[in-house]
Amino acid sequence: MSLQYTKILGSTASVSQKTWILHEYDENLALTISQRHGLHDTISKILALRGVTLDEVDNFLNPTIRNYLPDPLRFKDMPKIANLFANRIINQEPIGIFGDYDVDGATSSALLARFFSSLGCQAEIFIPDRLDDGYGPNLEALKKLAANGAKTIVTVDCGSTAFVPLEEAAKLGIEIAIIDHHACEAIMPKCIALINPKRLDEEMGHTELAAVGVVFLTIVATNKILRDKGFYNNRPEPNLFAWLDLVALGTLCDMAPLIRLNRAYVSQGLKIMNQKGNTGIMALAEVSGISETLKAYHLGFVLGPRLNAPGRVGFADCGARLLFTDNKDRAKDLAGILNQNNLDRQIIEAEVLEQADKIIATGKYVNENFILVVGHDWHQGVIGIVASRLKEKYNRVICVVTISGSTAKGSGRSILEVDLGEMVISARQIGLLNAGGGHHMAAGFSVNTDRIDELYNFFNDHITAQLKGEKNLPKLEIDGLMTLDGANISLAKQLDLLEPYGSANMPPKFAFLNIKVVKAEIVGNGHVRAILTDAMNHNRIKAIAFKSAETPIGQTLLKSNGQFLHIAGRLKAENYQGRESVQINIEDVAMV
C-alpha cells in the first residue's frame, strides 16, 4: 500500500480474521485545518488522512457543480455529439436511447430522455433483457429503434467495445453515438461519436465519472450549442440542475468514487431529490418505507437494489420508465413492481449464494487470492450480486460462472489492488473469452465451458502479477483511535460534514481499545445490542452489531464475561422522541 500505516492489533487478528490498520496522516496539516476552519480535531485528522489539502477543504465540505464542472466541449467528440443532438432537437427528429439494465443505465436513459422530451423532441428508451438480449447493444434492438423512427440512436452506459453489432448497424445506415464510462480499447467502435473519459486518447481526465455523470456533461454541452444557435430566444431553457437527483442516484449506485465532480453531483443531487420533484423516485421511496430525509445510504442500500432488480429478475426497462414518468399512478404501479422484483431477487440470490458457498468449500478453483465458482443453470441476473457477497466474505477477487449448455456466463468483483476490467479485456483480446468488459472493480464475460480451466489459470496469473507478491490479507482500515469519552454527540453530528459517503469516502471507522461489555443481547433479526464501558467504568455507550448473532463478532460480544475487548466501528447520532444520543455501530471485535 502506498500510505504508511500501523497495525493496531500487532501481529494478531480480530475475531473476523482481519488486520486493523491505522494510516498515518500529516499532523501539521490536520492542525492547520482545525484552526483555520474551526473543525473538531477528529474531523481535521480524517480530512488530512483522505488527502484533502488546505485549499480543498471548503470545496470538500461544500462541493458545488460550479467549482468542479469542466468545459464539456473539450472532451473528445463532444462538439460533434452536442451539435448532432442540437440539430435533432431543433428539427424535432426522434432519438433512440439504448441503455444498460443497471441503475447507472436507467438513470442515464431517463436523464437523456427527460432532456430531449423537455424540448419537444421524442425519445424512445430501450433497455435490453439480460437473458434474451445479453449485455450491450444488439443489432435487432438497434434495428427496432431505427424502424420506430429514431434518426440517431445513442447508447448510454454501454457500447465502447460493442464492435460487431455497431459495425453491422453501420452497414445498414443506422447512426449510432455512444456515451459511456467503461474501459476502452485502442480500436474504436463504429459510431459517429464516442464520449468516454476512459478513451485512450482522452486528455480531460474525469475517469471517475459514472455514465450518468458523462450524460450530464453531454446535455450541458448540447444546451450551450442550442443557446448559441438561438434556440432559446423564444422559449425558456430547461433547468438542468433539476435533474441532478438522477445523476446522484446513478453515480452512487454505480459505486463511482465520491471525489471532485462526483462528490458535487451527489451532494447537490441529494438536495434536489429531497425537494421531491421526481415522481418515480418519490413513489419508490414510499414503497420502500422511507419517511426521513433521503441520504446516500438510502440511495445505495434501499432505492438502488430495487432499481437494479428488474434488470436481474423482471422487465429490464421498469427502472428507466419509473425515473422518466411524471404520472403518479404509473409511478406507483412501477414502484410496486420493482419492490416485488427485489423480493424475488433476494430469494433467488440466497439460494445461489448457499450453493456457491458449498462449492467453495470443496476447494476447487480456490486459492488465497482468487476464487472462481462454477455452477449450473444459476439465474444470470443474480450472479453479479452473489459475487459481491462472496467478495465481502472472502476478501478475494471473485468470479461466479453459470453454465448452460456449452457456454457459460460470468460476473466478477475485485479488490482495490486488482483491475478486473483490464484482466477481462485482455482475456477477450487473446480469444479466451467470447465477450467481456467492465470496470476496475466489476466485470462480466462469457466463455466456452471447455476453457474454464484455462480461464482460471489466466486470471490467477494476472491477479498474482498485479498483487506484486504481496499477500491479500483481510484488512479493516481505521480512521482513528478513540475513547468512549470522546465518542460524544457533538462529534457524531460533525461527522455529518463528511457526507455524502460512498466509494473513496466511506464512513469513518474508529477503534476503541480495552472496552468491556456491560450487557449484550440478541434483538430483531439476529442483531446484537450491547452496552459498553471503558476500563475505569467512567463512561457507558450503546452499541449494536447488525446481523451478527451467529457470527464470531456477535458471539464474542455475547460471551465476553467481563473480558476486555477492542471494538471497531462507526459513530452514529440517534434521536429518539427528541432525546439525542450516540451509538457505536460495531464492525469488528478483537480479543485483548
Side-chain angles (χ1 to χ4, degrees), residues 306-452:
R306 287 167 171 79
L307 285 164
N308 263 325
R312 299 184 186 279
V313 299
F315 294 103
D317 62 354
C318 280
R321 298 198 182 284
L322 174 75
L323 299 174
F324 177 70
T325 188
D326 290 319
N327 183 294
K328 290 185 178 181
D329 291 335
R330 178 66 172 153
K332 183 177 180 180
D333 290 342
L334 288 168
I337 292 171
L338 266 62
N339 194 55
Q340 185 58 52
N341 286 161
N342 192 50
L343 295 173
D344 296 340
R345 186 269 307 168
Q346 290 172 341
I347 294 171
I348 298 170
E349 174 198 327
E351 293 172 350
V352 174
L353 184 60
E354 181 180 3
Q355 294 174 37
D357 260 325
K358 290 179 180 178
I359 292 170
I360 291 172
T362 67
K364 187 174 183 179
Y365 300 138
V366 175
N367 64 53
E368 63 182 7
N369 298 323
F370 176 47
I371 297 175
L372 176 66
V373 191
V374 181
H376 288 268
D377 297 319
W378 285 343
H379 196 298
Q380 293 178 25
V382 303
I383 59 174
I385 197 164
V386 168
S388 294
R389 300 282 186 255
L390 294 173
K391 193 206 82 169
E392 292 171 5
K393 180 175 181 178
Y394 294 102
N395 192 57
R396 297 173 226 186
V397 179
I398 300 284
C399 288
V400 178
V401 171
T402 177
I403 293 175
S404 179
S406 61
T407 60
K409 294 290 182 67
S411 186
R413 297 296 183 269
S414 193
I415 56 177
L416 286 174
E417 297 83 354
V418 176
D419 188 335
L420 181 60
E422 181 274 330
M423 195 164 68
V424 166
I425 288 174
S426 296
R428 183 176 57 75
Q429 287 175 334
I430 65 169
L432 179 52
L433 295 175
N434 300 326
H439 308 283
H440 184 116
M441 299 295 289
F445 55 87
S446 63
V447 62
N448 290 337
T449 55
D450 60 359
R451 305 196 73 179
I452 289 177

Side-chain angles (χ1 to χ4, degrees), residues 411-543:
S411 186
R413 297 296 183 269
S414 193
I415 56 177
L416 286 174
E417 297 83 354
V418 176
D419 188 335
L420 181 60
E422 181 274 330
M423 195 164 68
V424 166
I425 288 174
S426 296
R428 183 176 57 75
Q429 287 175 334
I430 65 169
L432 179 52
L433 295 175
N434 300 326
H439 308 283
H440 184 116
M441 299 295 289
F445 55 87
S446 63
V447 62
N448 290 337
T449 55
D450 60 359
R451 305 196 73 179
I452 289 177
D453 285 351
E454 187 181 353
L455 180 66
Y456 172 75
N457 292 328
F458 179 89
F459 279 2
N460 190 50
D461 289 345
H462 272 249
I463 292 167
T464 301
Q466 289 192 50
L467 288 173
K468 299 177 181 178
E470 292 188 11
K471 287 189 175 181
N472 175 37
L473 299 175
K475 296 179 287 289
L476 182 66
E477 298 192 18
I478 301 295
D479 292 275
L481 304 178
M482 186 173 293
T483 64
L484 292 189
D485 184 53
N488 53 53
I489 190 66
S490 175
L491 174 59
K493 285 183 174 181
Q494 281 212 36
L495 286 171
D496 287 344
L497 294 173
L498 302 175
E499 292 206 37
Y501 294 129
S503 177
N505 186 46
M506 300 301 289
K509 300 181 181 68
F510 302 99
F512 302 85
L513 307 182
N514 300 311
I515 300 298
K516 282 186 178 182
V517 178
V518 177
K519 178 183 178 182
E521 59 182 347
I522 299 174
V523 296
N525 187 24
H527 314 310
V528 174
R529 183 171 59 193
I531 302 294
L532 308 178
T533 189
D534 51 27
M536 303 301 293
N537 200 28
H538 285 165
N539 298 282
R540 294 195 175 194
I541 192 169
K542 296 183 298 181

Side-chain angles (χ1 to χ4, degrees), residues 52 435 444 502 544 591:
V52 179
I544 190 164
M591 307 295 291

